[in-house]
Amino acid sequence: MNAAKPLAGLKVIELGTLIAGPFAARICAEFGAEVIKVESPNGGDPLRKWRKLYEGTSLWWFVQARNKQSLTLNLKDPDAIDVLKQLLGDADILIENFRPGTLEKLGLGWDTLHALNPGLVMVRLSGFGQTGPQKDQPGFGAVGESMGGLRYITGFEDRPPVRTGISIGDSIAALWGVIGALMALRHREVNQGKGQIVDVALYEAVFAMMESMVPEFDVMGFVRERTGNIMPGITPSSIHTCSDGKAVQIGANGDAIFQRFMRAIGRDDLAADPTLADNAGRDARRDELYTLIDRWAASLPQEQVLQVLEQAEVPASKIYSAADMFTDPQYLAREMFLNATLPDGKPFKMPGIVPKLSETPGSAEWTGPALGEHTDSILQRLGYDATQIAELRGRGAI
């Protein structure tokens, strides 16, 4: 373990599958925490088999579980529960994303764990949180995105709501979980406080990102609707198609930026128009502005459009695919692709580390482990000998 990493010395136990809990634990692992991922001996985390597989294992898995140790425990076995309690006895953080009540049925509820380890921080990620009338209902990220308001405002006004292309609700919840855990650790260490529960509901994690939605409805009765590629009230900011059929995102909604943009496309009259000097004025004429920007973009190929905008210092970008990212100078300069190897030695690239810390940067030391790869070594550290480990394995406890 790299002592220079900011979370070095922290012990994190991950009881989670798929996305939210494991992503939260992955962040901890990238910045130095010892993360022990507890998996069922019967197949482990289903993410191991999700999306594109390489020799039977998900490529996503190798990223999501990097820097983690894999311990197999059959939590229906009392001896496996005993192993888990020993691990939690000196752990700093427990991350779990079971349905509420699952750990309580295993005898691992908060009261039990807090008595076992008063300093333990318990991050609980679930669809609807640990309280409320829906707490016992299953809730995936898609449900959280829907209930949290994101899907209602995503898409075009004349079509049904659409989803984003990734499981963004789970990932946002994971980030809130890590933030909450670090807050709780700060309280424990600085205020001599005890451990506590960090309760993150997926729908609330998404809801927290909904900007001005609540006050606009409460004060004005305004319900934000789907608006496609534009955002009313922030003009101009949209996607435009170039003469070669490629698209660009242009964000010229700052006052000075708008003026530079108009001058760059030969519309000095609009740059000097006092009715367009602020965002409210531009938004009142947004149809007119988007029509002329569409016309300008359609007259030039994407590369030339981007050159004009770059010279005018107008925020803009092509719409990146993975292929675009792999050759982009900015991505490369920021080391956003890490070289790694698959179990058979085949080289591949993984996403780089976010955020960038100047003094104590994170890193990816190894890729997602084989199922139960670290079971024996972890049990040995707990004092189990080879005979005891073989007995547990023979009974299906590990």
Side-chain angles (χ1 to χ4, degrees):
M1 191 181 303
N2 186 348
K5 290 185 179 181
L7 301 186
L10 291 181
K11 181 178 178 181
V12 178
I13 306 301
E14 178 196 315
L15 292 175
T17 59
L18 300 176
I19 304 173
F23 184 38
R26 166 188 152 186
I27 296 169
C28 296
E30 289 170 348
F31 287 91
E34 178 190 15
V35 175
I36 297 176
K37 178 178 179 65
V38 177
E39 300 186 77
S40 166
N42 184 25
D45 191 332
L47 190 74
R48 290 176 175 273
K49 301 295 181 182
W50 273 29
R51 293 191 61 82
K52 300 296 184 181
L53 306 185
Y54 181 81
E55 295 190 346
T57 299
S58 168
L59 289 168
W60 187 1
W61 165 259
F62 292 117
V63 177
Q64 185 81 316
R66 62 189 182 189
N67 292 8
K68 299 179 186 179
Q69 301 172 58
S70 173
L71 166 69
T72 52
L73 291 177
N74 176 3
L75 297 182
K76 297 179 181 179
D77 189 294
D79 287 336
I81 295 293
D82 183 62
V83 171
L84 182 55
K85 284 182 175 180
Q86 291 181 64
L87 289 171
L88 291 170
D90 64 352
D92 296 285
I93 302 171
L94 166 63
I95 298 174
E96 65 97 2
N97 64 345
F98 295 129
R99 193 187 302 190
T102 299
L103 287 185
E104 284 73 9
K105 292 176 183 177
L106 295 172
L108 297 171
W110 172 247
D111 291 343
T112 299
L113 296 182
H114 188 58
L116 175 69
N117 180 356
L120 181 68
V121 172
M122 188 179 191
V123 178
R124 312 199 77 170
L125 298 146
S126 63
F128 306 102
Q130 302 298 311
T131 59
Q134 288 185 258
K135 69 180 179 67
D136 295 326
Q137 296 298 313
F140 289 137
V143 175
E145 292 163 28
S146 300
M147 186 174 177
L150 177 61
R151 296 213 177 180
Y152 187 85
I153 61 171
T154 304
F156 288 86
E157 59 269 31
D158 59 345
R159 304 173 211 173
V162 299
R163 63 165 296 155
T164 56
I166 57 171
S167 304
I168 190 69
D170 289 290
S171 299
I172 292 173
L175 294 174
W176 285 122
V178 174
I179 292 169
L182 296 179
M183 289 177 178
L185 289 177
R186 168 76 176 176
H187 168 68
R188 189 187 76 178
E189 295 166 6
V190 174
N191 300 322
Q192 290 74 52
K194 296 181 179 180
Q196 58 184 297
I197 298 172
V198 177
D199 181 2
V200 179
L202 266 66
Y203 84 94
E204 291 168 356
V206 173
F207 175 72
M209 313 303 288
M210 289 297 101
E211 300 177 349
S212 59
M213 178 184 287
V214 167
E216 287 174 352
F217 174 73
D218 189 47
V219 175
M220 300 179 176
F222 175 79
V223 177
R224 186 182 295 191
E225 301 286 347
R226 294 181 292 285
T227 55
N229 290 327
I230 70 168
M231 184 175 292
I234 302 176
T235 303
S237 179
S238 187
I239 295 174
H240 306 273
T241 303
C242 305
S243 63
D244 53 8
K246 298 177 181 179
V248 293
Q249 169 70 51
I250 303 175
N253 46 288
D255 297 345
I257 296 172
F258 174 76
Q259 293 171 10
R260 294 199 300 270
F261 181 29
M262 290 298 100
R263 287 193 293 268
I265 66 174
R267 294 303 303 265
D268 292 43
D269 58 320
L270 297 180
D273 189 333
T275 69
L276 298 175
D278 61 20
N279 191 65
R282 292 190 297 274
D283 194 55
R285 295 170 61 181
R286 65 174 178 263
D287 291 345
E288 172 192 347
L289 292 175
Y290 283 130
T291 297
L292 75 90
I293 297 170
D294 279 338
R295 188 180 305 119
W296 172 74
S299 70
L300 300 170
Q302 182 193 67
E303 184 177 352
Q304 192 170 345
V305 167
L306 291 171
Q307 287 175 352
V308 170
L309 296 171
E310 182 179 358
Q311 290 172 2
E313 297 184 0
V314 175
S317 174
K318 60 184 178 183
I319 311 301
Y320 277 58
S321 69
D324 296 315
M325 297 171 188
F326 265 56
T327 58
D328 184 78
Q330 183 67 22
Y331 271 86
L332 298 177
R334 297 277 293 176
E335 297 182 347
M336 285 313 300
F337 297 104
L338 302 180
N339 295 318
T341 56
L342 294 165
D344 66 354
K346 178 181 176 63
F348 80 113
K349 293 188 184 298
M350 294 194 296
I353 305 296
V354 178
K356 308 293 186 188
L357 274 61
S358 62
E359 298 301 320
T360 56
S363 65
E365 304 297 331
W366 65 86
T367 59
L371 181 61
E373 181 176 332
H374 302 92
T375 298
D376 286 17
S377 62
I378 293 170
L379 290 175
Q380 288 165 4
R381 294 202 303 269
L382 292 175
Y384 289 79
D385 61 29
T387 301
Q388 292 171 310
I389 294 172
E391 182 182 349
L392 289 172
R393 183 165 284 116
R395 289 208 339 265
I398 59 174

Coordinates of all heavy atoms in Angstrom, one line a residue, residues 83-155:
V83 N -16.5 -14.5 10.4 CA -15.4 -14.0 9.7 C -15.6 -12.5 9.4 O -14.8 -11.6 9.6 CB -15.1 -14.7 8.4 CG1 -14.0 -14.0 7.5 CG2 -14.6 -16.1 8.7
L84 N -16.8 -12.2 8.9 CA -17.2 -10.8 8.5 C -17.1 -9.9 9.8 O -16.7 -8.8 9.7 CB -18.6 -10.8 7.9 CG -19.1 -9.5 7.4 CD1 -18.1 -8.8 6.5 CD2 -20.4 -9.6 6.7
K85 N -17.6 -10.4 10.9 CA -17.6 -9.6 12.1 C -16.2 -9.3 12.5 O -15.9 -8.2 13.0 CB -18.3 -10.3 13.2 CG -19.9 -10.3 13.1 CD -20.5 -11.0 14.3 CE -22.0 -10.8 14.2 NZ -22.7 -11.5 15.4
Q86 N -15.3 -10.3 12.4 CA -13.9 -10.0 12.7 C -13.3 -8.9 11.8 O -12.6 -8.1 12.3 CB -13.1 -11.3 12.5 CG -13.4 -12.4 13.6 CD -12.5 -13.6 13.3 OE1 -11.3 -13.6 13.5 NE2 -13.1 -14.7 13.0
L87 N -13.7 -9.0 10.5 CA -13.2 -7.9 9.6 C -13.7 -6.6 10.0 O -13.0 -5.5 9.9 CB -13.6 -8.3 8.2 CG -12.9 -9.4 7.5 CD1 -13.5 -9.8 6.2 CD2 -11.4 -9.1 7.3
L88 N -15.0 -6.5 10.4 CA -15.6 -5.3 10.7 C -15.2 -4.7 12.1 O -15.4 -3.5 12.3 CB -17.2 -5.4 10.7 CG -17.8 -5.7 9.3 CD1 -19.2 -6.1 9.4 CD2 -17.6 -4.4 8.4
G89 N -14.6 -5.6 12.9 CA -14.2 -5.2 14.2 C -13.2 -4.1 14.2 O -13.1 -3.3 15.1
D90 N -12.3 -4.0 13.2 CA -11.4 -2.9 13.1 C -11.4 -2.2 11.8 O -10.5 -1.5 11.4 CB -9.9 -3.5 13.4 CG -9.5 -4.4 12.3 OD1 -10.3 -4.8 11.4 OD2 -8.3 -4.8 12.3
A91 N -12.6 -2.3 11.1 CA -12.7 -1.5 9.9 C -13.1 -0.1 10.1 O -13.6 0.3 11.2 CB -13.8 -2.2 9.0
D92 N -12.8 0.8 9.2 CA -13.2 2.2 9.3 C -14.5 2.4 8.6 O -15.3 3.2 9.0 CB -12.1 3.0 8.6 CG -10.8 2.9 9.4 OD1 -10.7 3.5 10.5 OD2 -9.9 2.2 8.9
I93 N -14.8 1.8 7.4 CA -16.0 2.0 6.6 C -16.6 0.7 6.2 O -15.8 -0.2 5.7 CB -15.7 2.9 5.4 CG1 -15.0 4.2 5.8 CG2 -16.9 3.2 4.6 CD1 -14.5 5.0 4.6
L94 N -17.8 0.6 6.3 CA -18.6 -0.5 5.6 C -19.5 0.1 4.6 O -20.2 1.1 4.8 CB -19.5 -1.2 6.7 CG -20.5 -2.2 6.1 CD1 -19.9 -3.3 5.3 CD2 -21.5 -2.7 7.2
I95 N -19.4 -0.4 3.3 CA -20.2 0.1 2.2 C -21.1 -1.0 1.8 O -20.6 -2.1 1.5 CB -19.4 0.6 1.0 CG1 -18.5 1.7 1.4 CG2 -20.3 1.0 -0.1 CD1 -17.5 2.2 0.3
E96 N -22.4 -0.8 1.9 CA -23.4 -1.8 1.5 C -24.5 -1.2 0.7 O -24.9 -0.1 0.9 CB -23.9 -2.6 2.7 CG -24.8 -1.7 3.7 CD -26.3 -1.9 3.4 OE1 -26.6 -2.7 2.5 OE2 -27.0 -1.2 4.1
N97 N -25.0 -2.0 -0.3 CA -26.1 -1.5 -1.1 C -27.2 -2.6 -1.2 O -27.8 -2.7 -2.3 CB -25.7 -1.0 -2.5 CG -25.1 -2.0 -3.4 OD1 -24.7 -3.1 -2.9 ND2 -24.9 -1.7 -4.6
F98 N -27.4 -3.3 -0.1 CA -28.5 -4.3 -0.1 C -29.8 -3.5 0.1 O -29.9 -2.4 0.5 CB -28.3 -5.3 1.1 CG -27.1 -6.2 1.0 CD1 -26.2 -6.3 2.0 CD2 -26.9 -6.9 -0.2 CE1 -25.1 -7.1 1.9 CE2 -25.8 -7.7 -0.3 CZ -24.9 -7.9 0.7
R99 N -30.9 -4.3 -0.1 CA -32.2 -3.7 0.2 C -32.3 -3.5 1.8 O -31.8 -4.4 2.5 CB -33.3 -4.6 -0.2 CG -34.7 -4.0 -0.2 CD -35.8 -5.0 -0.5 NE -35.7 -5.6 -1.8 CZ -36.7 -6.4 -2.3 NH1 -37.9 -6.5 -1.6 NH2 -36.5 -6.9 -3.5
P100 N -32.8 -2.4 2.3 CA -32.9 -2.2 3.7 C -33.5 -3.4 4.4 O -34.5 -4.0 4.0 CB -33.8 -1.0 3.8 CG -33.5 -0.2 2.6 CD -33.3 -1.2 1.5
G101 N -32.9 -3.8 5.5 CA -33.3 -4.9 6.3 C -32.5 -6.2 6.1 O -32.6 -7.1 6.9
T102 N -31.8 -6.2 5.0 CA -31.1 -7.4 4.7 C -30.0 -7.7 5.7 O -29.9 -8.8 6.2 CB -30.4 -7.3 3.3 OG1 -31.5 -7.2 2.3 CG2 -29.6 -8.6 2.9
L103 N -29.2 -6.7 6.0 CA -28.1 -6.9 7.0 C -28.7 -7.2 8.4 O -28.2 -8.0 9.2 CB -27.2 -5.7 7.1 CG -26.3 -5.5 5.9 CD1 -25.3 -4.3 6.2 CD2 -25.4 -6.8 5.7
E104 N -29.8 -6.6 8.7 CA -30.5 -6.9 10.0 C -30.9 -8.3 10.1 O -30.7 -9.0 11.2 CB -31.7 -6.0 10.2 CG -31.4 -4.5 10.5 CD -30.8 -3.7 9.3 OE1 -30.8 -4.2 8.2 OE2 -30.4 -2.6 9.6
K105 N -31.4 -8.9 9.0 CA -31.7 -10.3 9.0 C -30.5 -11.2 9.2 O -30.7 -12.4 9.7 CB -32.5 -10.7 7.7 CG -33.8 -10.1 7.6 CD -34.4 -10.4 6.2 CE -35.8 -9.7 6.0 NZ -36.3 -9.9 4.7
L106 N -29.4 -10.7 8.8 CA -28.1 -11.5 9.0 C -27.5 -11.3 10.4 O -26.4 -11.8 10.7 CB -27.1 -11.1 7.9 CG -27.5 -11.5 6.5 CD1 -26.5 -10.9 5.5 CD2 -27.5 -13.0 6.3
G107 N -28.2 -10.5 11.2 CA -27.6 -10.2 12.5 C -26.5 -9.1 12.5 O -25.6 -9.0 13.3
L108 N -26.5 -8.3 11.4 CA -25.5 -7.3 11.2 C -26.1 -5.9 11.1 O -25.6 -5.1 10.3 CB -24.7 -7.7 9.9 CG -23.9 -9.0 9.9 CD1 -23.4 -9.3 8.5 CD2 -22.8 -9.0 10.9
G109 N -27.1 -5.7 11.9 CA -27.7 -4.3 11.9 C -26.8 -3.3 12.5 O -25.8 -3.6 13.1
W110 N -27.2 -2.0 12.5 CA -26.4 -1.0 13.0 C -26.1 -1.1 14.5 O -25.0 -0.9 14.9 CB -27.0 0.4 12.7 CG -26.3 1.5 13.4 CD1 -26.8 2.3 14.4 CD2 -25.0 2.0 13.1 NE1 -25.9 3.2 14.8 CE2 -24.7 3.0 14.0 CE3 -24.0 1.6 12.2 CZ2 -23.5 3.7 14.0 CZ3 -22.8 2.3 12.2 CH2 -22.6 3.3 13.1
D111 N -27.1 -1.4 15.3 CA -26.9 -1.6 16.7 C -25.8 -2.6 17.0 O -24.9 -2.4 17.8 CB -28.2 -1.9 17.4 CG -29.2 -0.8 17.4 OD1 -28.8 0.4 17.1 OD2 -30.4 -1.1 17.6
T112 N -25.9 -3.7 16.3 CA -24.9 -4.8 16.5 C -23.5 -4.3 16.1 O -22.5 -4.5 16.8 CB -25.2 -6.0 15.7 OG1 -26.5 -6.5 16.2 CG2 -24.2 -7.1 15.9
L113 N -23.4 -3.7 14.9 CA -22.1 -3.3 14.4 C -21.5 -2.1 15.2 O -20.3 -2.1 15.4 CB -22.2 -3.0 12.9 CG -22.6 -4.1 12.0 CD1 -22.6 -3.7 10.5 CD2 -21.6 -5.3 12.1
H114 N -22.4 -1.2 15.6 CA -21.9 -0.1 16.4 C -21.3 -0.5 17.7 O -20.3 0.0 18.2 CB -23.0 0.9 16.6 CG -22.6 2.2 17.2 ND1 -21.6 3.0 16.6 CD2 -23.0 2.9 18.3 CE1 -21.4 4.1 17.3 NE2 -22.2 4.0 18.4
A115 N -22.0 -1.5 18.3 CA -21.5 -2.1 19.6 C -20.2 -2.8 19.4 O -19.2 -2.7 20.2 CB -22.5 -3.0 20.2
L116 N -20.1 -3.5 18.2 CA -18.8 -4.2 17.9 C -17.7 -3.3 17.6 O -16.5 -3.5 18.1 CB -19.1 -5.1 16.7 CG -17.9 -5.9 16.1 CD1 -17.4 -7.0 17.0 CD2 -18.3 -6.4 14.7
N117 N -18.0 -2.2 16.9 CA -16.9 -1.2 16.5 C -17.5 0.2 16.5 O -18.1 0.7 15.5 CB -16.4 -1.6 15.1 CG -15.4 -0.6 14.6 OD1 -15.0 0.4 15.2 ND2 -14.8 -0.9 13.4
P118 N -17.4 0.9 17.7 CA -18.0 2.2 17.8 C -17.6 3.2 16.8 O -18.2 4.2 16.5 CB -17.7 2.6 19.2 CG -17.4 1.4 19.9 CD -16.8 0.5 18.9
G119 N -16.4 3.0 16.2 CA -15.9 4.0 15.2 C -16.3 3.7 13.8 O -15.9 4.5 12.9
L120 N -17.0 2.6 13.6 CA -17.3 2.2 12.2 C -18.3 3.2 11.5 O -19.3 3.6 12.1 CB -18.0 0.9 12.2 CG -18.3 0.3 10.8 CD1 -17.1 0.0 10.0 CD2 -19.2 -1.0 11.0
V121 N -18.0 3.6 10.3 CA -18.9 4.4 9.5 C -19.5 3.5 8.5 O -18.9 2.7 7.8 CB -18.1 5.5 8.7 CG1 -19.0 6.2 7.7 CG2 -17.5 6.5 9.7
M122 N -20.8 3.5 8.5 CA -21.6 2.6 7.7 C -22.3 3.3 6.6 O -23.2 4.1 6.8 CB -22.7 1.9 8.6 CG -23.4 0.7 7.9 SD -24.6 0.0 9.1 CE -25.1 -1.5 8.2
V123 N -21.9 3.1 5.3 CA -22.5 3.8 4.2 C -23.5 2.8 3.6 O -23.2 1.7 3.2 CB -21.4 4.1 3.1 CG1 -22.0 4.7 1.9 CG2 -20.3 5.0 3.6
R124 N -24.8 3.3 3.6 CA -25.9 2.5 3.2 C -26.5 3.1 1.9 O -27.1 4.2 2.0 CB -26.9 2.4 4.3 CG -26.3 2.0 5.6 CD -27.4 1.4 6.6 NE -27.7 0.0 6.2 CZ -28.4 -0.8 7.0 NH1 -28.9 -0.3 8.2 NH2 -28.7 -2.0 6.6
L125 N -26.4 2.5 0.8 CA -26.9 2.9 -0.5 C -28.1 2.1 -0.9 O -27.9 0.9 -1.0 CB -25.8 2.9 -1.6 CG -24.5 3.7 -1.3 CD1 -23.3 3.0 -1.8 CD2 -24.7 5.1 -1.9
S126 N -29.2 2.7 -1.1 CA -30.4 1.9 -1.4 C -31.3 2.8 -2.3 O -31.1 4.0 -2.5 CB -31.2 1.5 -0.2 OG -31.6 2.7 0.6
G127 N -32.3 2.2 -2.8 CA -33.2 2.9 -3.8 C -33.9 4.1 -3.1 O -34.0 5.2 -3.7
F128 N -34.4 3.9 -1.9 CA -35.3 4.9 -1.3 C -34.8 5.3 0.1 O -35.5 6.0 0.8 CB -36.7 4.4 -1.2 CG -37.2 3.9 -2.6 CD1 -37.3 2.6 -2.9 CD2 -37.6 4.8 -3.5 CE1 -37.7 2.2 -4.1 CE2 -38.1 4.4 -4.8 CZ -38.1 3.1 -5.1
G129 N -33.7 4.8 0.6 CA -33.2 5.2 1.9 C -33.7 4.2 2.9 O -34.4 3.2 2.7
Q130 N -33.2 4.4 4.2 CA -33.5 3.4 5.3 C -34.8 3.7 6.0 O -35.1 3.0 6.9 CB -32.3 3.5 6.3 CG -31.0 3.1 5.6 CD -30.9 1.7 5.1 OE1 -31.3 0.8 5.7 NE2 -30.4 1.6 3.8
T131 N -35.5 4.8 5.6 CA -36.7 5.1 6.3 C -37.7 5.5 5.2 O -37.4 5.6 4.0 CB -36.6 6.4 7.2 OG1 -36.1 7.5 6.5 CG2 -35.6 6.0 8.3
G132 N -39.0 5.7 5.6 CA -40.0 6.1 4.7 C -40.9 4.9 4.2 O -40.4 3.8 4.3
P133 N -42.0 5.2 3.6 CA -42.9 4.1 3.2 C -42.4 3.2 2.1 O -42.9 2.1 2.0 CB -44.2 4.9 2.8 CG -43.7 6.3 2.5 CD -42.6 6.6 3.4
Q134 N -41.5 3.7 1.3 CA -41.0 2.9 0.2 C -39.6 2.2 0.6 O -39.0 1.6 -0.3 CB -40.8 3.7 -1.0 CG -42.1 4.1 -1.7 CD -41.9 4.8 -3.0 OE1 -42.0 6.1 -3.0 NE2 -41.6 4.1 -4.0
K135 N -39.1 2.3 1.8 CA -37.8 1.8 2.1 C -37.6 0.4 1.8 O -36.5 -0.1 1.4 CB -37.5 2.1 3.6 CG -38.3 1.3 4.6 CD -37.9 1.6 6.0 CE -38.7 0.8 7.0 NZ -38.3 -0.6 7.0
D136 N -38.6 -0.5 1.9 CA -38.5 -1.9 1.6 C -38.6 -2.3 0.2 O -38.4 -3.5 -0.2 CB -39.5 -2.7 2.5 CG -39.3 -2.5 4.0 OD1 -38.1 -2.4 4.4 OD2 -40.3 -2.5 4.7
Q137 N -38.9 -1.3 -0.7 CA -39.0 -1.7 -2.1 C -37.7 -1.7 -2.8 O -36.8 -0.9 -2.5 CB -39.9 -0.6 -2.8 CG -41.3 -0.5 -2.3 CD -42.1 -1.8 -2.5 OE1 -42.0 -2.4 -3.6 NE2 -42.7 -2.3 -1.5
P138 N -37.5 -2.6 -3.8 CA -36.3 -2.6 -4.5 C -36.2 -1.4 -5.4 O -37.2 -0.9 -5.9 CB -36.4 -3.9 -5.4 CG -37.8 -4.1 -5.5 CD -38.4 -3.6 -4.2
G139 N -35.0 -0.8 -5.6 CA -34.9 0.4 -6.4 C -33.5 0.4 -7.1 O -32.5 0.6 -6.4
F140 N -33.5 0.3 -8.4 CA -32.3 0.4 -9.2 C -32.1 1.9 -9.6 O -32.9 2.8 -9.3 CB -32.4 -0.4 -10.4 CG -32.3 -1.9 -10.1 CD1 -33.1 -2.8 -10.8 CD2 -31.4 -2.4 -9.2 CE1 -33.0 -4.2 -10.6 CE2 -31.3 -3.8 -9.0 CZ -32.1 -4.6 -9.7
G141 N -30.9 2.2 -10.2 CA -30.6 3.5 -10.6 C -31.6 4.1 -11.5 O -31.9 5.3 -11.5
A142 N -32.2 3.2 -12.4 CA -33.2 3.7 -13.4 C -34.4 4.3 -12.6 O -35.0 5.3 -13.0 CB -33.6 2.6 -14.3
V143 N -34.8 3.7 -11.5 CA -35.9 4.1 -10.7 C -35.5 5.4 -10.0 O -36.3 6.4 -10.0 CB -36.3 3.1 -9.7 CG1 -37.4 3.6 -8.8 CG2 -36.8 1.8 -10.4
G144 N -34.3 5.5 -9.5 CA -33.8 6.7 -8.8 C -33.8 7.9 -9.8 O -34.2 9.0 -9.4
E145 N -33.4 7.6 -11.0 CA -33.3 8.7 -12.0 C -34.7 9.2 -12.4 O -34.9 10.4 -12.6 CB -32.6 8.2 -13.3 CG -31.1 7.9 -13.1 CD -30.5 7.0 -14.2 OE1 -31.1 7.1 -15.3 OE2 -29.6 6.3 -13.9
S146 N -35.7 8.3 -12.4 CA -37.0 8.6 -12.7 C -37.7 9.4 -11.6 O -38.3 10.5 -11.7 CB -37.8 7.4 -13.0 OG -37.3 6.7 -14.1
M147 N -37.6 8.9 -10.4 CA -38.2 9.5 -9.2 C -37.5 10.8 -8.8 O -38.1 11.7 -8.3 CB -38.2 8.5 -8.0 CG -39.0 9.0 -6.8 SD -39.0 7.7 -5.6 CE -39.9 8.5 -4.2
G148 N -36.2 10.8 -9.1 CA -35.4 12.0 -8.7 C -35.6 13.2 -9.6 O -35.0 14.3 -9.4
G149 N -36.3 13.0 -10.8 CA -36.6 14.1 -11.7 C -35.7 14.2 -12.9 O -36.1 14.9 -13.8
L150 N -34.6 13.4 -13.0 CA -33.7 13.5 -14.1 C -34.4 13.1 -15.4 O -34.3 13.8 -16.5 CB -32.5 12.7 -13.9 CG -31.5 12.6 -15.0 CD1 -30.9 14.0 -15.3 CD2 -30.3 11.7 -14.7
R151 N -35.1 11.9 -15.4 CA -35.6 11.4 -16.7 C -36.8 12.3 -17.2 O -37.0 12.4 -18.4 CB -36.1 10.0 -16.5 CG -34.9 9.1 -16.2 CD -35.0 7.7 -16.8 NE -33.8 6.9 -16.5 CZ -33.7 5.7 -16.9 NH1 -34.6 5.1 -17.6 NH2 -32.6 5.0 -16.7
Y152 N -37.5 12.9 -16.3 CA -38.6 13.8 -16.7 C -38.1 14.9 -17.6 O -38.8 15.3 -18.6 CB -39.3 14.4 -15.5 CG -40.6 15.1 -15.9 CD1 -41.8 14.5 -16.0 CD2 -40.6 16.5 -16.1 CE1 -43.0 15.1 -16.4 CE2 -41.7 17.2 -16.4 CZ -42.9 16.5 -16.6 OH -44.1 17.2 -16.9
I153 N -37.0 15.4 -17.4 CA -36.5 16.6 -18.1 C -35.5 16.2 -19.2 O -34.9 17.1 -19.8 CB -35.8 17.6 -17.2 CG1 -34.6 17.0 -16.4 CG2 -36.8 18.2 -16.2 CD1 -33.8 18.1 -15.7
T154 N -35.3 14.9 -19.5 CA -34.3 14.5 -20.4 C -35.0 14.0 -21.7 O -35.8 13.0 -21.7 CB -33.4 13.3 -19.8 OG1 -32.8 13.8 -18.6 CG2 -32.3 12.9 -20.8
G155 N -34.6 14.6 -22.8 CA -35.2 14.2 -24.1 C -35.8 15.5 -24.8 O -35.6 16.6 -24.4

